[in-house]
């Protein structure tokens, strides 16, 4: 945090095109938040609402309209965001909340790993072949229906301490344990309007 503030203060205000007039005079909380968002690779538009704080309109199946328009397992890279430094991706608001949750858990001595995230359609087909359909006692959703195909679910690597922490705190970050037999599967529910 301190290093980040120093870096921000040392940066000539004239080089900043994204934050405009809000920087340069005072090291306000807003500009620090912008610097933090920038450092985390998120959008830096001063007036932009972070996707994780936005409210979304859901369709009858609980899917945000903007995602439903792409189709399950067909979400473009532009709508996805990386989870930390892993190769995993989720729908951007879910990724941002997951990153925050993992960081907060870490400060409390809880380690949350990640084993799966967004799953393109072809991977859903492959998984169903390997693990069987959930409806038939297996562990895979019918291809084209998986929450992973919307980038709205993640499979976490949790020890017993982390599992308990998630059950206590997951909902604060929008993550819900919603599949019996799969305590590792956590679905993201955005704020709704
Ligand atoms: Zn899962």
């Amino acid at each position: 945090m301190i290093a980040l503030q120093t870096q921000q203060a040392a940066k000539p205000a004239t080089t900043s095109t994204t934050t405009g007039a809000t920087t340069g005079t005072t090291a306000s909380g807003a500009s620090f938040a912008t610097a933090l968002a920038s450092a985390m690779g998120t959008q830096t538009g001063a007036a932009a609402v972070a996707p994780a704080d936005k409210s979304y309109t859901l369709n009858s199946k609980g899917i945000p309209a903007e995602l439903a328009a792409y189709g399950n397992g067909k979400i473009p890279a532009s709508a996805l965001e990386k989870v930390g430094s892993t190769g995993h991706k989720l729908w951007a608001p879910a990724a941002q909340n997951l990153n925050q949750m993992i960081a907060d858990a870490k400060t409390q001595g809880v380690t949350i790993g990640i084993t799966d995230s967004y799953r393109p359609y072809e991977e859903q087909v492959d998984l169903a072949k390997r693990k069987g359909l959930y409806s038939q006692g297996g562990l895979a959703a019918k291809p084209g229906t998986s929450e992973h195909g919307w980038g709205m679910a993640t499979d976490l690597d949790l020890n017993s301490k982390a599992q308990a922490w998630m059950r206590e705190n997951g909902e604060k970050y929008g993550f819900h344990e919603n599949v019996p037999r799969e305590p590792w599967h956590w679905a993201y529910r955005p704020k709704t309007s």
Side-chain angles (χ1 to χ4, degrees), residues 1-2 4-11 13 19 21-35:
M1 288 299 202
I2 289 168
L4 188 64
Q5 280 175 312
T6 305
Q7 199 178 32
Q8 173 71 3
K11 192 169 110 183
T19 53
T22 61
T23 60
T25 50
T26 57
S28 69
S31 68
F32 176 69
T34 304

Side-chain angles (χ1 to χ4, degrees), residues 22-145:
T22 61
T23 60
T25 50
T26 57
S28 69
S31 68
F32 176 69
T34 304
L36 187 62
S38 176
M40 292 174 74
T42 50
Q43 290 179 348
T44 56
V49 178
D53 289 332
K54 265 177 67 178
S55 288
Y56 296 86
T57 304
L58 307 184
N59 70 12
S60 62
K61 292 183 175 172
I63 309 303
E66 64 180 71
L67 278 181
Y70 296 126
N72 186 293
K74 295 175 176 146
I75 312 300
S78 60
L80 300 171
E81 202 164 296
K82 272 190 191 172
V83 180
S85 57
T86 70
H88 289 286
K89 290 178 181 172
L90 287 175
W91 179 45
Q96 288 167 22
N97 272 21
L98 182 56
N99 282 330
Q100 185 64 53
M101 185 175 75
I102 289 172
D104 289 352
K106 197 174 171 190
T107 66
Q108 296 169 41
V110 174
T111 303
I112 295 175
I114 174 165
T115 59
D116 213 348
S117 49
Y118 171 62
R119 199 176 287 155
Y121 183 81
E122 303 74 42
E123 287 182 27
Q124 295 179 45
V125 172
D126 180 59
L127 193 78
K129 277 184 201 154
R130 290 188 288 112
K131 305 230 168 173
L133 290 179
Y134 192 87
S135 59
Q136 296 168 13
L139 290 173
K142 185 173 168 238
T145 69

Side-chain angles (χ1 to χ4, degrees), residues 119 148 153-155 182 184-185:
R119 199 176 287 155
H148 289 281
T154 180
D155 292 340
E182 296 192 3
W184 56 84
H185 177 98

Side-chain angles (χ1 to χ4, degrees), residues 139-187:
L139 290 173
K142 185 173 168 238
T145 69
S146 172
E147 288 174 326
H148 289 281
W150 296 116
M152 290 177 69
T154 180
D155 292 340
L156 300 176
D157 182 13
L158 306 168
N159 60 21
S160 59
K161 183 181 176 184
Q163 188 79 47
W165 190 93
M166 278 301 298
R167 286 172 174 158
E168 178 85 25
N169 299 286
E171 289 190 16
K172 293 178 204 164
Y173 300 88
F175 286 94
H176 301 262
E177 182 182 6
N178 68 340
V179 180
R181 295 196 273 128
E182 296 192 3
W184 56 84
H185 177 98
W186 294 79

